[in-house]
Amino acid sequence: MSEVLMDIQNLAKHFIIDTDFRGRPVTALKAVDGVSFTIDKGEAFGLVGESGCGKTTLGKVLVNLYRPTKGKIYFEGKDLTVLNEEQRRSYCKDIQMIFQDPYASLNPKMSIGDIIAEPIIINRLLPKNQVEERVIYLLNCVGLARHQRNRYPHEFSGGQRQRVGIARALAVEPKLIVCDEPVSALDVSIQAQVLNLLSNLKEEFGLTYLFIAHGLNVVKHISDRVGVMYLGKLVEIAPKRELYANPLHPYTQALLSAIPVINPEKKKERIILEGDVPSPINTPAGCRFCSRCFKEMDQCKLNEPALKEISPNHFVACHLFK
Ligand code: SF4
């Protein structure tokens, strides 16, 4: 029986764009708009969706970079949304993030040794005389050599910088790591190396991942379960094998059809989505995927479908499934 590490309930993050003369919000960008799912201990949960669907904002809410507008985040049974700033900071150590851009996420004025040592020192995890040893251990864990600790970020390639970012996240011995598109800024040849490294570290350190990506091909190898997000909502969640073998939501089907297939005999017809993504400022009343859906029915424009369990552990939000 798996143990739930994080339980996210009806979480929303709205950014206020405009207010009335009393300062009350009149226009808001609904980046995340009522998302519920759980992440089990030791699991890698893949979160997939196009740019702008709210997946990075969701990740930032979970690591306390943004305050949620509403909803609950339970971590090891404790509701993080009711904690004060100081109490929340003590939990931040347990939930770390690996950022998408390995160029922007490292301080160019600090050596990589100092970058990795900084969170250890701030959180007072080790006596000062043991920090150096720990930094060298972490560098080795991510495939970098001890002599590289005195070098600066600009002296490294993109893949190496991402390894530094991973070492920095590991420095505070987190329980959950939010990996925000950690390979999308890297060359294709380097992506597999970093994915393998993350996979190995997960086993070695007993980590749990929320792995964010914009394509289903990237999360396929690393995830145990996958959630598909569209315009601030989750539209499908299923165990990896089930999702790839039996995608139910039309949007998931379209994403899967975009994965290149090497074997010409297994080639599937590509589903090209037409129409525009609605604005997250003015979301439609019914199904949010209506304007692009190739299976749209009359009721789709009127009622928003709820996320329902269609078969064991397979959830979908679509009126095609009762
Ligand atoms: Fe398409 Fe309707 Fe299902 Fe939305 S609810 S995905 S519009 S079939």
Side-chain angles (χ1 to χ4, degrees):
M1 182 81 179
S2 46
E3 187 185 335
V4 172
L5 181 66
M6 184 173 264
D7 185 359
I8 296 142
Q9 295 182 3
N10 200 25
L11 194 72
K13 177 64 191 170
H14 298 172
F15 296 97
I16 294 163
I17 307 265
D18 201 7
T19 55
D20 65 12
F21 68 97
R22 285 185 178 159
R24 290 178 302 203
V26 285
T27 317
L29 187 150
K30 297 166 191 152
V32 179
D33 199 19
V35 163
S36 302
F37 66 105
T38 56
I39 305 172
D40 293 338
K41 207 169 185 176
E43 180 183 40
F45 187 100
L47 185 65
V48 174
E50 290 163 307
S51 298
C53 72
K55 53 195 189 305
T56 294
T57 304
L58 173 61
K60 288 183 174 174
V61 172
L62 300 184
V63 297
N64 197 32
L65 289 175
Y66 292 144
R67 294 281 292 137
T69 306
K70 65 172 183 183
K72 297 283 182 193
I73 305 166
Y74 293 96
F75 183 72
E76 295 183 318
K78 186 113 186 162
D79 183 1
L80 301 188
T81 58
V82 297
L83 302 181
N84 63 34
E85 197 57 42
E86 200 183 324
Q87 291 167 322
R88 253 198 328 272
R89 240 179 277 133
S90 70
Y91 273 93
C92 288
K93 185 182 86 56
D94 291 336
I95 310 167
Q96 290 293 307
M97 190 162 192
I98 298 169
F99 294 90
Q100 178 181 359
D101 187 347
Y103 295 88
S105 62
L106 303 177
N107 186 339
K109 292 181 181 169
M110 290 170 75
S111 70
I112 61 155
D114 288 345
I115 288 172
I116 298 167
E118 190 181 38
I120 302 173
I121 296 166
I122 289 174
N123 288 286
R124 297 192 188 116
L125 296 180
L126 288 172
K128 269 192 178 164
N129 60 355
Q130 291 177 24
V131 173
E132 175 78 0
E133 196 185 321
R134 175 80 180 156
V135 168
I136 291 165
Y137 168 73
L138 289 165
L139 284 173
N140 288 335
C141 286
V142 298
L144 295 172
R146 64 185 296 154
H147 71 266
Q148 292 175 305
R149 70 188 184 284
N150 294 322
R151 296 197 184 157
Y152 287 80
H154 72 271
E155 297 177 75
F156 290 89
S157 67
Q160 286 175 320
R161 287 186 211 204
Q162 199 53 294
R163 287 172 189 266
V164 176
I166 294 168
R168 180 179 56 184
L170 290 175
V172 290
E173 300 173 23
K175 292 174 181 165
L176 171 68
I177 300 185
V178 175
C179 307
D180 181 21
E181 303 204 35
V183 297
S184 63
L186 305 179
D187 290 345
V188 176
S189 57
I190 307 296
Q191 287 185 359
Q193 290 176 17
V194 174
L195 285 174
N196 285 340
L197 172 67
L198 286 167
S199 229
N200 295 339
L201 292 172
K202 179 175 169 288
E203 297 309 316
E204 195 177 331
F205 290 91
L207 296 165
T208 303
Y209 288 155
L210 173 65
F211 195 97
I212 298 171
H214 57 256
L216 278 165
N217 51 339
V218 176
V219 295
K220 187 171 185 180
H221 302 288
I222 201 160
S223 306
D224 301 305
R225 276 188 306 149
V226 178
V228 180
M229 201 165 170
Y230 186 80
L231 205 64
K233 294 255 184 190
L234 276 166
V235 295
E236 189 161 5
I237 305 174
K240 177 178 70 178
R241 278 179 204 282
E242 166 72 4
L243 189 100
Y244 285 79
N246 184 27
L248 297 180
H249 197 282
Y251 179 56
T252 314
Q253 291 169 1
L255 286 180
L256 268 175
S257 80
I259 299 178
V261 180
I262 297 166
N263 185 348
E265 284 171 18
K266 288 188 176 172
K267 217 165 183 172
K268 286 175 278 178
E269 201 178 321
R270 172 95 195 257
I271 300 168
I272 308 282
L273 294 176
E274 290 171 3
D276 295 322
V277 184
S279 165
I281 297 173
N282 190 16
T283 47
C287 173
R288 295 178 180 211
F289 190 56
C290 247
S291 58
R292 302 168 81 196
C293 186
F294 47 94
K295 293 184 178 172
E296 186 201 342
M297 304 170 290
D298 290 344
Q299 57 172 311
C300 299
K301 275 200 174 77
L302 304 174
N303 305 310
E304 185 167 17
L307 195 66
K308 281 185 256 170
E309 191 169 13
I310 302 303
S311 57
N313 295 321
H314 194 158
F315 298 80
V316 66
C318 174
H319 290 308
L320 289 167
F321 306 93
K322 300 293 175 199

